[in-house]
Amino acid sequence: AIIAVLAIAIQSDDKIIIAGDFTTFNGTSRSRIARLNSNGTIDNSFNPGQGANGTIRSVLIDSTGTNIYIGGDFTTYNGINQNRVARLRLDGSLDTAGFINPNDPNSGVNGRVRSLALDSTGRLALVGDFTSVGGLSSQVRIGRLLANGSADVGFAATANNSVLTVAVDVQGNLLVGGDFATINGLNRTRIARLLPSGELDSTINFGTGPNNFVA
């Protein structure tokens, strides 16, 4: 098996967060996430404990620099239930007070999360291979969480195949790419823009789109 680094985020102090499949960094135990100093040495002030029990595929830091979001295949973080998405504090510990209730079986996501993006209001867009978010079957491979980690019931979107990447513009629109052919039942080949509600944005025309997946 390939042991990989799949995601990198840079803090405002130039410290580097790396995530992926690894279980050690330079001989130090770090289960799938670590933070490095700007000179490449491990930052021991960031301690994820047991870390994630499965691959982390996306990592990002919010605009305040105080929260770290991760998404992937994991179902626990440091031994605590967290279904494929989690928010961490800057010391690497899990934010159990304000995001994703570990005691709610419907919290989080029921399948792989491949990419994350935050909008200006703190809502977290997520894409991947899942078929429900927070128990909502109206969010299929494209979903959104509110700042408290609960599913955003005002957002509904469905892709017919894997969505691999997401970005959010200043208006809160979602740009998504992947290996899909339809969004919300309408033809969109591997790239699309969605309104903040999850509806397709018909004002943008990608034509026949790219001839292979967008990641």
Side-chain angles (χ1 to χ4, degrees), residues 169-213:
D169 68 17
V170 292
Q171 287 83 33
N173 300 311
L174 278 66
L175 282 156
V176 297
D179 202 22
F180 51 85
T182 66
I183 299 286
N184 299 341
L186 301 173
N187 292 336
R188 288 295 187 277
T189 304
R190 302 185 180 96
I191 188 168
R193 187 165 71 192
L194 284 66
L195 300 174
S197 63
E199 296 175 84
L200 270 174
D201 184 350
S202 61
T203 67
I204 190 168
N205 181 5
F206 294 109
T208 58
N211 70 342
N212 211 331
F213 66 84

mmCIF file of all heavy atoms in Angstrom, residues 169-213:
data_model
loop_
_atom_site.group_PDB
_atom_site.id
_atom_site.type_symbol
_atom_site.label_atom_id
_atom_site.label_comp_id
_atom_site.label_asym_id
_atom_site.label_seq_id
_atom_site.Cartn_x
_atom_site.Cartn_y
_atom_site.Cartn_z
ATOM 1 N N ASP A 169 -17.016 30.652 -3.706
ATOM 2 C CA ASP A 169 -16.654 32.018 -4.079
ATOM 3 C C ASP A 169 -17.212 33.016 -3.059
ATOM 4 O O ASP A 169 -17.865 32.628 -2.079
ATOM 5 C CB ASP A 169 -17.087 32.337 -5.512
ATOM 6 C CG ASP A 169 -18.601 32.411 -5.702
ATOM 7 O OD1 ASP A 169 -19.343 32.531 -4.714
ATOM 8 O OD2 ASP A 169 -19.054 32.362 -6.869
ATOM 9 N N VAL A 170 -16.961 34.302 -3.276
ATOM 10 C CA VAL A 170 -17.328 35.319 -2.283
ATOM 11 C C VAL A 170 -18.834 35.468 -2.130
ATOM 12 O O VAL A 170 -19.317 35.963 -1.102
ATOM 13 C CB VAL A 170 -16.682 36.682 -2.622
ATOM 14 C CG1 VAL A 170 -15.181 36.618 -2.460
ATOM 15 C CG2 VAL A 170 -17.055 37.124 -4.035
ATOM 16 N N GLN A 171 -19.606 35.051 -3.131
ATOM 17 C CA GLN A 171 -21.066 35.094 -3.026
ATOM 18 C C GLN A 171 -21.649 33.856 -2.347
ATOM 19 O O GLN A 171 -22.855 33.770 -2.148
ATOM 20 C CB GLN A 171 -21.697 35.229 -4.418
ATOM 21 C CG GLN A 171 -21.544 36.607 -5.049
ATOM 22 C CD GLN A 171 -20.206 36.780 -5.730
ATOM 23 O OE1 GLN A 171 -19.654 35.822 -6.265
ATOM 24 N NE2 GLN A 171 -19.678 37.988 -5.710
ATOM 25 N N GLY A 172 -20.810 32.891 -2.018
ATOM 26 C CA GLY A 172 -21.281 31.664 -1.402
ATOM 27 C C GLY A 172 -21.658 30.584 -2.385
ATOM 28 O O GLY A 172 -22.186 29.537 -2.003
ATOM 29 N N ASN A 173 -21.402 30.825 -3.692
ATOM 30 C CA ASN A 173 -21.641 29.782 -4.689
ATOM 31 C C ASN A 173 -20.584 28.691 -4.572
ATOM 32 O O ASN A 173 -19.432 28.967 -4.235
ATOM 33 C CB ASN A 173 -21.591 30.374 -6.094
ATOM 34 C CG ASN A 173 -22.620 31.456 -6.309
ATOM 35 O OD1 ASN A 173 -23.791 31.275 -5.987
ATOM 36 N ND2 ASN A 173 -22.178 32.591 -6.837
ATOM 37 N N LEU A 174 -20.970 27.456 -4.885
ATOM 38 C CA LEU A 174 -20.058 26.319 -4.814
ATOM 39 C C LEU A 174 -19.630 25.914 -6.221
ATOM 40 O O LEU A 174 -20.477 25.680 -7.089
ATOM 41 C CB LEU A 174 -20.733 25.112 -4.150
ATOM 42 C CG LEU A 174 -20.795 25.046 -2.634
ATOM 43 C CD1 LEU A 174 -21.685 26.155 -2.072
ATOM 44 C CD2 LEU A 174 -21.316 23.687 -2.178
ATOM 45 N N LEU A 175 -18.342 25.846 -6.447
ATOM 46 C CA LEU A 175 -17.797 25.269 -7.672
ATOM 47 C C LEU A 175 -17.344 23.859 -7.349
ATOM 48 O O LEU A 175 -16.562 23.657 -6.413
ATOM 49 C CB LEU A 175 -16.634 26.102 -8.184
ATOM 50 C CG LEU A 175 -17.031 27.387 -8.912
ATOM 51 C CD1 LEU A 175 -15.904 28.397 -8.852
ATOM 52 C CD2 LEU A 175 -17.401 27.084 -10.358
ATOM 53 N N VAL A 176 -17.854 22.879 -8.090
ATOM 54 C CA VAL A 176 -17.532 21.482 -7.816
ATOM 55 C C VAL A 176 -16.981 20.815 -9.068
ATOM 56 O O VAL A 176 -17.361 21.144 -10.202
ATOM 57 C CB VAL A 176 -18.765 20.701 -7.296
ATOM 58 C CG1 VAL A 176 -19.239 21.269 -5.959
ATOM 59 C CG2 VAL A 176 -19.897 20.706 -8.310
ATOM 60 N N GLY A 177 -16.053 19.899 -8.842
ATOM 61 C CA GLY A 177 -15.502 19.114 -9.930
ATOM 62 C C GLY A 177 -15.412 17.660 -9.528
ATOM 63 O O GLY A 177 -15.340 17.341 -8.339
ATOM 64 N N GLY A 178 -15.422 16.776 -10.520
ATOM 65 C CA GLY A 178 -15.336 15.358 -10.195
ATOM 66 C C GLY A 178 -15.490 14.488 -11.419
ATOM 67 O O GLY A 178 -14.994 14.805 -12.505
ATOM 68 N N ASP A 179 -16.236 13.381 -11.242
ATOM 69 C CA ASP A 179 -16.435 12.413 -12.319
ATOM 70 C C ASP A 179 -17.925 12.229 -12.602
ATOM 71 O O ASP A 179 -18.347 11.196 -13.088
ATOM 72 C CB ASP A 179 -15.789 11.087 -11.946
ATOM 73 C CG ASP A 179 -15.475 10.229 -13.171
ATOM 74 O OD1 ASP A 179 -15.364 10.791 -14.271
ATOM 75 O OD2 ASP A 179 -15.367 8.998 -13.021
ATOM 76 N N PHE A 180 -18.724 13.218 -12.285
ATOM 77 C CA PHE A 180 -20.178 13.149 -12.435
ATOM 78 C C PHE A 180 -20.607 13.572 -13.843
ATOM 79 O O PHE A 180 -19.868 14.237 -14.581
ATOM 80 C CB PHE A 180 -20.863 14.031 -11.390
ATOM 81 C CG PHE A 180 -20.340 15.445 -11.333
ATOM 82 C CD1 PHE A 180 -20.815 16.431 -12.188
ATOM 83 C CD2 PHE A 180 -19.358 15.798 -10.414
ATOM 84 C CE1 PHE A 180 -20.326 17.727 -12.137
ATOM 85 C CE2 PHE A 180 -18.856 17.091 -10.345
ATOM 86 C CZ PHE A 180 -19.343 18.062 -11.215
ATOM 87 N N ALA A 181 -21.830 13.182 -14.193
ATOM 88 C CA ALA A 181 -22.430 13.587 -15.470
ATOM 89 C C ALA A 181 -23.674 14.439 -15.259
ATOM 90 O O ALA A 181 -24.101 15.147 -16.175
ATOM 91 C CB ALA A 181 -22.793 12.362 -16.297
ATOM 92 N N THR A 182 -24.272 14.338 -14.057
ATOM 93 C CA THR A 182 -25.444 15.158 -13.765
ATOM 94 C C THR A 182 -25.350 15.716 -12.356
ATOM 95 O O THR A 182 -24.771 15.091 -11.450
ATOM 96 C CB THR A 182 -26.764 14.366 -13.886
ATOM 97 O OG1 THR A 182 -26.811 13.358 -12.864
ATOM 98 C CG2 THR A 182 -26.909 13.721 -15.255
ATOM 99 N N ILE A 183 -25.928 16.896 -12.188
ATOM 100 C CA ILE A 183 -26.134 17.526 -10.876
ATOM 101 C C ILE A 183 -27.623 17.850 -10.777
ATOM 102 O O ILE A 183 -28.186 18.485 -11.679
ATOM 103 C CB ILE A 183 -25.318 18.823 -10.714
ATOM 104 C CG1 ILE A 183 -23.814 18.541 -10.836
ATOM 105 C CG2 ILE A 183 -25.634 19.491 -9.378
ATOM 106 C CD1 ILE A 183 -23.192 17.853 -9.654
ATOM 107 N N ASN A 184 -28.247 17.393 -9.716
ATOM 108 C CA ASN A 184 -29.681 17.611 -9.522
ATOM 109 C C ASN A 184 -30.486 17.133 -10.736
ATOM 110 O O ASN A 184 -31.498 17.739 -11.109
ATOM 111 C CB ASN A 184 -29.982 19.086 -9.232
ATOM 112 C CG ASN A 184 -29.298 19.580 -7.980
ATOM 113 O OD1 ASN A 184 -28.884 18.793 -7.130
ATOM 114 N ND2 ASN A 184 -29.147 20.891 -7.853
ATOM 115 N N GLY A 185 -29.991 16.066 -11.387
ATOM 116 C CA GLY A 185 -30.686 15.474 -12.513
ATOM 117 C C GLY A 185 -30.472 16.173 -13.839
ATOM 118 O O GLY A 185 -30.995 15.731 -14.863
ATOM 119 N N LEU A 186 -29.678 17.255 -13.847
ATOM 120 C CA LEU A 186 -29.421 18.008 -15.070
ATOM 121 C C LEU A 186 -27.998 17.748 -15.545
ATOM 122 O O LEU A 186 -27.081 17.584 -14.743
ATOM 123 C CB LEU A 186 -29.630 19.503 -14.823
ATOM 124 C CG LEU A 186 -31.038 19.896 -14.350
ATOM 125 C CD1 LEU A 186 -31.076 21.373 -13.977
ATOM 126 C CD2 LEU A 186 -32.079 19.584 -15.429
ATOM 127 N N ASN A 187 -27.813 17.745 -16.853
ATOM 128 C CA ASN A 187 -26.505 17.417 -17.418
ATOM 129 C C ASN A 187 -25.454 18.455 -17.035
ATOM 130 O O ASN A 187 -25.599 19.641 -17.328
ATOM 131 C CB ASN A 187 -26.591 17.329 -18.948
ATOM 132 C CG ASN A 187 -27.405 16.144 -19.410
ATOM 133 O OD1 ASN A 187 -27.543 15.161 -18.694
ATOM 134 N ND2 ASN A 187 -27.950 16.232 -20.617
ATOM 135 N N ARG A 188 -24.408 17.981 -16.405
ATOM 136 C CA ARG A 188 -23.232 18.785 -16.084
ATOM 137 C C ARG A 188 -22.042 17.834 -16.078
ATOM 138 O O ARG A 188 -21.958 16.958 -15.206
ATOM 139 C CB ARG A 188 -23.353 19.480 -14.739
ATOM 140 C CG ARG A 188 -24.324 20.638 -14.697
ATOM 141 C CD ARG A 188 -23.878 21.794 -15.583
ATOM 142 N NE ARG A 188 -24.727 22.965 -15.424
ATOM 143 C CZ ARG A 188 -25.884 23.157 -16.038
ATOM 144 N NH1 ARG A 188 -26.355 22.218 -16.841
ATOM 145 N NH2 ARG A 188 -26.573 24.271 -15.857
ATOM 146 N N THR A 189 -21.138 17.982 -17.023
ATOM 147 C CA THR A 189 -20.058 17.014 -17.186
ATOM 148 C C THR A 189 -18.825 17.428 -16.384
ATOM 149 O O THR A 189 -18.063 18.297 -16.809
ATOM 150 C CB THR A 189 -19.693 16.862 -18.675
ATOM 151 O OG1 THR A 189 -20.872 16.504 -19.399
ATOM 152 C CG2 THR A 189 -18.640 15.774 -18.861
ATOM 153 N N ARG A 190 -18.700 16.856 -15.214
ATOM 154 C CA ARG A 190 -17.491 16.908 -14.379
ATOM 155 C C ARG A 190 -17.168 18.271 -13.767
ATOM 156 O O ARG A 190 -16.254 18.385 -12.963
ATOM 157 C CB ARG A 190 -16.277 16.376 -15.159
ATOM 158 C CG ARG A 190 -16.471 14.949 -15.666
ATOM 159 C CD ARG A 190 -15.227 14.402 -16.316
ATOM 160 N NE ARG A 190 -15.418 13.048 -16.790
ATOM 161 C CZ ARG A 190 -15.745 12.728 -18.050
ATOM 162 N NH1 ARG A 190 -15.899 13.688 -18.957
ATOM 163 N NH2 ARG A 190 -15.922 11.477 -18.395
ATOM 164 N N ILE A 191 -17.912 19.314 -14.091
ATOM 165 C CA ILE A 191 -17.712 20.613 -13.458
ATOM 166 C C ILE A 191 -19.040 21.360 -13.449
ATOM 167 O O ILE A 191 -19.818 21.271 -14.402
ATOM 168 C CB ILE A 191 -16.614 21.439 -14.168
ATOM 169 C CG1 ILE A 191 -16.288 22.708 -13.376
ATOM 170 C CG2 ILE A 191 -16.970 21.736 -15.617
ATOM 171 C CD1 ILE A 191 -15.043 23.418 -13.853
ATOM 172 N N ALA A 192 -19.308 22.070 -12.333
ATOM 173 C CA ALA A 192 -20.573 22.791 -12.214
ATOM 174 C C ALA A 192 -20.440 23.874 -11.162
ATOM 175 O O ALA A 192 -19.566 23.820 -10.292
ATOM 176 C CB ALA A 192 -21.710 21.830 -11.833
ATOM 177 N N ARG A 193 -21.331 24.866 -11.260
ATOM 178 C CA ARG A 193 -21.438 25.856 -10.194
ATOM 179 C C ARG A 193 -22.841 25.814 -9.622
ATOM 180 O O ARG A 193 -23.829 25.783 -10.364
ATOM 181 C CB ARG A 193 -21.114 27.267 -10.690
ATOM 182 C CG ARG A 193 -21.065 28.294 -9.548
ATOM 183 C CD ARG A 193 -20.402 29.590 -9.983
ATOM 184 N NE ARG A 193 -21.246 30.347 -10.908
ATOM 185 C CZ ARG A 193 -20.796 31.397 -11.608
ATOM 186 N NH1 ARG A 193 -19.531 31.775 -11.502
ATOM 187 N NH2 ARG A 193 -21.608 32.033 -12.427
ATOM 188 N N LEU A 194 -22.920 25.789 -8.288
ATOM 189 C CA LEU A 194 -24.190 25.719 -7.590
ATOM 190 C C LEU A 194 -24.409 27.011 -6.818
ATOM 191 O O LEU A 194 -23.462 27.604 -6.286
ATOM 192 C CB LEU A 194 -24.216 24.547 -6.609
ATOM 193 C CG LEU A 194 -24.396 23.133 -7.148
ATOM 194 C CD1 LEU A 194 -23.200 22.713 -8.002
ATOM 195 C CD2 LEU A 194 -24.583 22.144 -5.996
ATOM 196 N N LEU A 195 -25.662 27.430 -6.741
ATOM 197 C CA LEU A 195 -26.030 28.564 -5.917
ATOM 198 C C LEU A 195 -25.942 28.174 -4.440
ATOM 199 O O LEU A 195 -25.870 26.979 -4.111
ATOM 200 C CB LEU A 195 -27.446 29.017 -6.268
ATOM 201 C CG LEU A 195 -27.662 29.455 -7.727
ATOM 202 C CD1 LEU A 195 -29.143 29.732 -7.983
ATOM 203 C CD2 LEU A 195 -26.813 30.669 -8.051
ATOM 204 N N PRO A 196 -25.961 29.138 -3.520
ATOM 205 C CA PRO A 196 -25.870 28.797 -2.094
ATOM 206 C C PRO A 196 -26.961 27.850 -1.604
ATOM 207 O O PRO A 196 -26.784 27.156 -0.614
ATOM 208 C CB PRO A 196 -25.966 30.160 -1.406
ATOM 209 C CG PRO A 196 -25.407 31.120 -2.401
ATOM 210 C CD PRO A 196 -25.863 30.602 -3.736
ATOM 211 N N SER A 197 -28.076 27.772 -2.330
ATOM 212 C CA SER A 197 -29.163 26.848 -1.967
ATOM 213 C C SER A 197 -28.890 25.421 -2.406
ATOM 214 O O SER A 197 -29.580 24.496 -1.977
ATOM 215 C CB SER A 197 -30.458 27.315 -2.617
ATOM 216 O OG SER A 197 -30.324 27.267 -4.038
ATOM 217 N N GLY A 198 -27.901 25.231 -3.309
ATOM 218 C CA GLY A 198 -27.649 23.927 -3.901
ATOM 219 C C GLY A 198 -28.205 23.790 -5.298
ATOM 220 O O GLY A 198 -27.913 22.813 -6.001
ATOM 221 N N GLU A 199 -29.019 24.762 -5.741
ATOM 222 C CA GLU A 199 -29.520 24.743 -7.118
ATOM 223 C C GLU A 199 -28.382 24.999 -8.097
ATOM 224 O O GLU A 199 -27.421 25.705 -7.778
ATOM 225 C CB GLU A 199 -30.583 25.833 -7.305
ATOM 226 C CG GLU A 199 -31.830 25.673 -6.492
ATOM 227 C CD GLU A 199 -32.750 26.866 -6.660
ATOM 228 O OE1 GLU A 199 -33.526 26.875 -7.644
ATOM 229 O OE2 GLU A 199 -32.683 27.796 -5.840
ATOM 230 N N LEU A 200 -28.511 24.448 -9.294
ATOM 231 C CA LEU A 200 -27.526 24.713 -10.335
ATOM 232 C C LEU A 200 -27.586 26.177 -10.764
ATOM 233 O O LEU A 200 -28.672 26.755 -10.881
ATOM 234 C CB LEU A 200 -27.783 23.827 -11.548
ATOM 235 C CG LEU A 200 -27.073 22.477 -11.562
ATOM 236 C CD1 LEU A 200 -27.548 21.670 -12.767
ATOM 237 C CD2 LEU A 200 -25.572 22.632 -11.596
ATOM 238 N N ASP A 201 -26.430 26.773 -10.994
ATOM 239 C CA ASP A 201 -26.347 28.132 -11.504
ATOM 240 C C ASP A 201 -26.382 28.068 -13.031
ATOM 241 O O ASP A 201 -25.411 27.671 -13.672
ATOM 242 C CB ASP A 201 -25.058 28.788 -11.023
ATOM 243 C CG ASP A 201 -24.944 30.238 -11.429
ATOM 244 O OD1 ASP A 201 -25.772 30.702 -12.241
ATOM 245 O OD2 ASP A 201 -24.028 30.918 -10.927
ATOM 246 N N SER A 202 -27.505 28.470 -13.606
ATOM 247 C CA SER A 202 -27.677 28.365 -15.062
ATOM 248 C C SER A 202 -27.013 29.510 -15.807
ATOM 249 O O SER A 202 -26.993 29.521 -17.046
ATOM 250 C CB SER A 202 -29.171 28.337 -15.410
ATOM 251 O OG SER A 202 -29.794 29.536 -14.967
ATOM 252 N N THR A 203 -26.438 30.488 -15.086
ATOM 253 C CA THR A 203 -25.818 31.628 -15.756
ATOM 254 C C THR A 203 -24.399 31.328 -16.223
ATOM 255 O O THR A 203 -23.780 32.147 -16.890
ATOM 256 C CB THR A 203 -25.785 32.863 -14.840
ATOM 257 O OG1 THR A 203 -24.889 32.623 -13.742
ATOM 258 C CG2 THR A 203 -27.177 33.183 -14.320
ATOM 259 N N ILE A 204 -23.865 30.181 -15.857
ATOM 260 C CA ILE A 204 -22.528 29.804 -16.292
ATOM 261 C C ILE A 204 -22.635 28.574 -17.186
ATOM 262 O O ILE A 204 -23.395 27.646 -16.900
ATOM 263 C CB ILE A 204 -21.594 29.549 -15.091
ATOM 264 C CG1 ILE A 204 -20.138 29.392 -15.538
ATOM 265 C CG2 ILE A 204 -22.056 28.366 -14.255
ATOM 266 C CD1 ILE A 204 -19.142 29.436 -14.397
ATOM 267 N N ASN A 205 -21.882 28.579 -18.290
ATOM 268 C CA ASN A 205 -21.997 27.505 -19.276
ATOM 269 C C ASN A 205 -20.614 26.916 -19.544
ATOM 270 O O ASN A 205 -19.758 27.566 -20.158
ATOM 271 C CB ASN A 205 -22.609 28.053 -20.568
ATOM 272 C CG ASN A 205 -22.778 26.976 -21.630
ATOM 273 O OD1 ASN A 205 -22.533 25.795 -21.389
ATOM 274 N ND2 ASN A 205 -23.210 27.383 -22.811
ATOM 275 N N PHE A 206 -20.415 25.684 -19.085
ATOM 276 C CA PHE A 206 -19.142 25.000 -19.314
ATOM 277 C C PHE A 206 -19.152 24.158 -20.593
ATOM 278 O O PHE A 206 -18.204 23.417 -20.865
ATOM 279 C CB PHE A 206 -18.806 24.102 -18.116
ATOM 280 C CG PHE A 206 -18.528 24.859 -16.842
ATOM 281 C CD1 PHE A 206 -19.433 24.829 -15.800
ATOM 282 C CD2 PHE A 206 -17.369 25.601 -16.695
ATOM 283 C CE1 PHE A 206 -19.183 25.518 -14.620
ATOM 284 C CE2 PHE A 206 -17.106 26.298 -15.526
ATOM 285 C CZ PHE A 206 -18.021 26.261 -14.483
ATOM 286 N N GLY A 207 -20.223 24.241 -21.363
ATOM 287 C CA GLY A 207 -20.310 23.467 -22.603
ATOM 288 C C GLY A 207 -20.255 21.977 -22.331
ATOM 289 O O GLY A 207 -20.903 21.468 -21.418
ATOM 290 N N THR A 208 -19.468 21.262 -23.114
ATOM 291 C CA THR A 208 -19.350 19.807 -22.931
ATOM 292 C C THR A 208 -18.425 19.458 -21.775
ATOM 293 O O THR A 208 -18.281 18.275 -21.431
ATOM 294 C CB THR A 208 -18.849 19.137 -24.209
ATOM 295 O OG1 THR A 208 -17.577 19.700 -24.567
ATOM 296 C CG2 THR A 208 -19.830 19.332 -25.351
ATOM 297 N N GLY A 209 -17.767 20.470 -21.174
ATOM 298 C CA GLY A 209 -16.926 20.220 -20.013
ATOM 299 C C GLY A 209 -15.641 19.506 -20.359
ATOM 300 O O GLY A 209 -15.310 19.279 -21.536
ATOM 301 N N PRO A 210 -14.866 19.137 -19.341
ATOM 302 C CA PRO A 210 -13.610 18.439 -19.575
ATOM 303 C C PRO A 210 -13.837 16.984 -19.962
ATOM 304 O O PRO A 210 -14.869 16.405 -19.645
ATOM 305 C CB PRO A 210 -12.902 18.530 -18.214
ATOM 306 C CG PRO A 210 -14.020 18.666 -17.230
ATOM 307 C CD PRO A 210 -15.109 19.422 -17.925
ATOM 308 N N ASN A 211 -12.837 16.383 -20.639
ATOM 309 C CA ASN A 211 -13.010 15.017 -21.130
ATOM 310 C C ASN A 211 -12.495 13.965 -20.140
ATOM 311 O O ASN A 211 -12.434 12.783 -20.469
ATOM 312 C CB ASN A 211 -12.335 14.841 -22.480
ATOM 313 C CG ASN A 211 -10.814 14.875 -22.392
ATOM 314 O OD1 ASN A 211 -10.270 15.355 -21.395
ATOM 315 N ND2 ASN A 211 -10.141 14.376 -23.417
ATOM 316 N N ASN A 212 -12.147 14.400 -18.943
ATOM 317 C CA ASN A 212 -11.791 13.462 -17.876
ATOM 318 C C ASN A 212 -12.084 14.139 -16.550
ATOM 319 O O ASN A 212 -12.432 15.322 -16.505
ATOM 320 C CB ASN A 212 -10.308 13.045 -17.974
ATOM 321 C CG ASN A 212 -10.072 11.632 -17.470
ATOM 322 O OD1 ASN A 212 -10.800 11.161 -16.592
ATOM 323 N ND2 ASN A 212 -9.077 10.962 -18.018
ATOM 324 N N PHE A 213 -11.953 13.390 -15.463
ATOM 325 C CA PHE A 213 -12.395 13.897 -14.168
ATOM 326 C C PHE A 213 -11.609 15.123 -13.723
ATOM 327 O O PHE A 213 -10.456 15.335 -14.103
ATOM 328 C CB PHE A 213 -12.347 12.796 -13.109
ATOM 329 C CG PHE A 213 -10.968 12.300 -12.759
ATOM 330 C CD1 PHE A 213 -10.192 12.965 -11.829
ATOM 331 C CD2 PHE A 213 -10.476 11.143 -13.344
ATOM 332 C CE1 PHE A 213 -8.926 12.507 -11.496
ATOM 333 C CE2 PHE A 213 -9.210 10.672 -13.028
ATOM 334 C CZ PHE A 213 -8.431 11.353 -12.086
#
